[in-house]
Amino acid sequence: MSSGRSYEELVEEAVDAPVDGWDFSWFEGRATEERPPWGYAGAMAERLAHASAALDIQTGGGEVLASAAVLPPVTVATEGWPPNVARATALLHPRGAVVVASPEGAPLPFADGAFDLVTSRHPVHTHWQEIARVLRPGGTYFSQQVGPASVVEVAEYFLGPQSDDALSFRDPGRARAAAEAAGLEVVDLREARLRMEFHDIGAVVHFLRKVIWIVPDFTVERYEPRLRELHRRIESGGPFVAHSTRFLIEARTPAGQGTG
């Protein structure tokens, strides 16, 4: 089961790897995650192909949006992290899409009813009132989101038992209630619990550097004893197993009724 590589080698490689964007190809052969059954990227692409004006919120490096074969005549993406803004711009501008630097918590910098489709994959926060405002009557919000207690096994390994509030955060039922409170009709809501495997300690380190909300204060130095113990555990007993949670939500503005 041993990788044949030292703790120091694996960690150094993980620390040196760039973490901008949402390209997870670095994990190939080192970590796996079961995919949700609904195929978000493909379903999003189908909706984009029939839209006239689309907004992708918190686009990251633009990788998911760019995977669509056809983009609407008006396609805009927002992103708050400067390295990702640059990455998304380089990827999406050749496709005719505009990337707008916009902080995650700020109001969307667009007019009421500007879009007939708004999408978002794994938003940090969902600003339902703003989404409803920028959607046209009959417009659609389509999003895959991180669900409750996602990768909790990793969080609890480093941080200890999590509170009930932390474990219930991102509950799909709360998302439905918030969408409806903003005047949207939820037409689809699905959940999935998905197996993850980390095959070496480098994969754990890179994951925690990239997905920063799992262990918010993570540094290799701060958690070195726990990292070394986990390295020994993986080397002797096989991959560290965790579970991600995801939910898919689709909501629409009632036709003939604005919300802005």
Side-chain angles (χ1 to χ4, degrees):
M1 293 182 186
S2 173
S3 68
R5 304 177 65 194
S6 71
Y7 170 85
E8 288 76 13
E9 289 173 324
L10 292 167
V11 169
E12 182 179 2
E13 183 181 18
V15 168
D16 288 343
V19 294
D20 56 320
W22 287 110
D23 178 3
F24 283 76
S25 60
W26 188 91
F27 290 98
E28 186 172 350
R30 310 184 67 158
T32 60
E33 181 180 1
E34 184 183 2
R35 309 313 302 164
W38 46 75
Y40 174 77
M44 180 193 71
E46 291 176 6
R47 287 158 176 79
L48 286 167
H50 295 93
S52 60
L55 168 65
D56 192 48
I57 298 174
Q58 297 177 35
T59 198
E63 297 89 351
V64 179
L65 181 59
S67 71
V70 177
L71 296 181
V74 175
T75 301
V76 183
T78 64
E79 174 56 33
W81 193 42
N84 275 348
V85 172
R87 186 183 181 101
T89 298
L91 191 59
L92 293 170
H93 271 202
R95 300 285 306 278
V98 175
V99 178
V100 177
S102 179
E104 290 171 0
L108 293 172
F110 309 107
D112 297 359
F115 303 98
D116 56 313
L117 176 65
V118 176
T119 60
S120 189
R121 181 181 180 272
H122 300 177
V124 178
H125 300 288
T126 303
H127 303 286
W128 290 104
Q129 293 289 345
E130 280 294 280
I131 289 164
R133 181 184 64 79
V134 301
L135 277 173
R136 297 171 183 167
T140 295
Y141 177 65
F142 186 69
S143 178
Q144 177 177 295
Q145 306 207 4
V146 176
S150 190
V151 205
V152 68
E153 299 92 339
V154 175
E156 291 193 335
Y157 177 81
F158 289 98
L159 301 174
Q162 300 294 286
S163 68
D164 289 343
D165 284 346
L167 293 174
S168 63
F169 183 59
R170 298 182 180 277
D171 179 77
R174 293 183 182 180
R176 176 191 288 277
E180 292 174 345
L184 300 174
E185 297 176 354
V186 176
V187 297
D188 194 6
L189 183 60
R190 288 180 259 172
E191 304 174 51
R193 186 171 185 264
L194 309 161
R195 181 181 175 92
M196 301 177 68
E197 294 185 356
F198 296 91
H199 293 271
D200 67 59
I201 197 62
V204 175
V205 169
H206 187 65
F207 178 78
L208 291 175
R209 292 181 63 235
K210 195 174 184 74
V211 188
I212 58 175
W213 53 86
I214 303 298
V215 181
D217 62 349
F218 178 79
T219 64
V220 169
E221 295 74 19
R222 180 175 286 120
Y223 289 99
E224 185 171 9
R226 294 298 284 163
L227 288 167
R228 286 188 178 275
E229 172 57 31
L230 186 54
H231 171 67
R232 290 189 289 268
R233 186 166 137 185
I234 293 172
E235 290 287 286
S236 63
F240 180 60
V241 176
H243 296 85
S244 64
T245 60
R246 301 286 184 265
F247 67 90
L248 183 78
I249 186 165
E250 185 169 16
R252 294 178 186 156
T253 304
Q257 176 182 329
T259 58

